[in-house]
Amino acid sequence: MELRQLRYFVAVAEELHFRRAAERLFISTPTLSQQIRAIEREVGGPLLIRGNHGVELTAAGEVLLKTARNVLEAAEIALRETRAVAQPGNAVFRLGIVNGSPAWLPGRIEALVKARQPGVRVTLTTGTSGDQARLLDRDEVDLAVLRLPVRLADHLTCTPIADEELGIVMSRQNPLAAAVSVEAGRIGDQELIMFARDAAPEVHDSVLAQLRERGASVVLSDSAMSHAQMLQFLPLRPEAIGVGSARTAAVPGLVWRPLRPRPLVITYAAAWRTVTRNPLLHTMADALAGGLRLTSDRSAFPPGE
């Protein structure tokens, strides 16, 4: 049985109509019928029940449809990955980046990729940690950067690669802004504005837990908004605070202060599909799983990276 014949069968099984399938394949209906009969002779039984208004799959046809789709997908992956090695100038590495990550982080990963395969083109896709997990699950990105903690499917592998300190973001008019740092015990009467929990449940709960572990009596706001919306809103609410990195200090009207007595830390992780035939991803996974940690300082790269 040839791949071409499997494509013919899948087209008929999906269209449930020989003429529409033939048009989709740009072949004649008699040719398509002939090829389907050849497959049926090879498997030793009918795959389709032909009727006046279309066709139906037999039990054997249902089995072949599932298997044929898997075979065709595997063939497409094999061809794409082989072309990437044979024609490195056309190779593409699909990188997913969680929203709001430090600007230097994708650049560091891209440098690691290109050090392993010069000439490769890196494409970026942004989204929440949940979005990145779904993209990986559907094999729409090769490597995803997300925030921990996050729930991942069993066939995905994840390892920490970078940390970032979070602190308290607030209006310059907030009374807490006068100090060089914020004591966790002093934010109890402040309205804490965060992103909606549905966007990243594990990260949302982790941030709240870290605040409470440090002695903060958190008053969570009824308003939930994206990080970008929060930065626009806080200058107008001197009695409210948010959580963010020192990068937020660049926003007009806002100040950022570290949390004391212990800093609040968020961890970024790289995730990938555990089983892959992508040779470039294999070398990246080996480096990251080996404990490589990334920072904004280029000198922090190991020799040769």
Side-chain angles (χ1 to χ4, degrees):
M1 193 180 301
E2 301 175 4
L3 288 176
R4 171 176 55 87
Q5 291 175 311
L6 288 180
R7 292 191 184 94
Y8 289 174
F9 170 74
V10 169
V12 177
E14 290 179 346
E15 298 291 342
L16 295 177
H17 198 282
F18 271 87
R19 179 181 55 78
R20 290 198 298 268
E23 291 174 350
R24 167 175 156 181
L25 295 165
F26 300 101
I27 62 174
S28 69
T29 303
T31 297
L32 179 58
S33 297
Q34 184 181 46
Q35 291 298 320
I36 297 300
R37 284 195 293 270
I39 299 174
E40 290 177 324
R41 285 195 299 271
E42 185 169 352
V43 301
L47 300 171
L48 303 166
I49 301 172
R50 297 153 176 83
N52 293 331
H53 301 291
V55 298
E56 296 179 13
L57 289 171
T58 65
E62 294 281 2
V63 172
L64 182 59
L65 176 60
K66 179 180 179 181
T67 306
R69 282 172 169 160
N70 291 338
V71 169
L72 292 173
E73 180 183 7
E76 178 61 31
I77 291 172
L79 180 60
R80 183 176 69 236
E81 293 175 357
T82 303
R83 280 176 174 166
V85 175
Q87 305 172 30
N90 296 326
V92 175
F93 190 84
R94 303 165 301 169
L95 177 61
I97 296 289
V98 66
N99 292 337
S101 63
W104 56 263
L105 188 51
R108 291 290 178 267
I109 296 175
E110 183 170 354
L112 287 172
V113 171
K114 291 187 174 182
R116 284 156 176 76
Q117 187 169 331
V120 66
R121 181 166 59 91
V122 178
T123 63
L124 297 179
T125 302
T126 59
T128 65
S129 290
D131 293 334
Q132 298 302 333
R134 286 186 287 274
L135 289 170
L136 271 180
D137 194 43
R138 298 195 297 262
D139 196 24
E140 294 180 17
V141 295
D142 298 306
L143 184 77
V145 175
L146 33 76
R147 290 185 187 87
L148 294 181
V150 64
R151 190 182 302 276
L152 295 175
D154 292 340
H155 61 275
L156 302 180
T157 297
C158 178
T159 188
I161 59 170
D163 296 318
E164 185 175 31
E165 181 180 357
L166 301 184
I168 304 303
V169 187
M170 68 198 103
S171 164
R172 292 187 179 277
Q173 307 306 316
N174 190 303
L176 297 179
V180 296
S181 62
V182 173
E183 293 292 330
R186 293 192 59 199
I187 67 176
D189 57 350
Q190 299 281 322
E191 176 188 9
L192 175 62
I193 298 175
M194 289 187 64
F195 56 87
R197 185 178 183 276
D198 290 347
E202 294 86 0
V203 175
H204 185 280
D205 294 348
S206 175
V207 169
L208 289 180
Q210 288 192 64
L211 286 171
R212 288 166 177 151
E213 287 168 2
R214 286 155 178 75
S217 300
V218 177
V219 179
L220 191 59
S221 174
D222 292 332
S223 301
M225 57 190 70
S226 71
H227 189 69
Q229 291 171 329
M230 179 195 72
L231 297 183
Q232 293 178 335
F233 182 74
L234 281 177
L236 308 177
R237 291 288 290 271
E239 70 281 7
I241 60 173
V243 174
S245 72
R247 293 177 280 132
T248 59
V251 179
L254 292 183
V255 296
W256 180 88
R257 297 290 183 260
L259 189 67
R260 296 292 178 262
R262 285 189 294 141
L264 186 65
V265 176
I266 195 77
T267 298
Y268 294 91
W272 60 90
R273 295 173 70 88
T274 306
V275 178
T276 177
R277 291 182 293 272
N278 185 331
L280 177 54
L281 181 56
H282 272 298
T283 63
M284 285 293 296
D286 288 344
L288 297 172
L292 178 65
R293 303 288 282 201
L294 305 181
T295 74
S296 59
D297 181 5
R298 186 64 176 83
S299 65
F301 273 68
E305 296 292 2

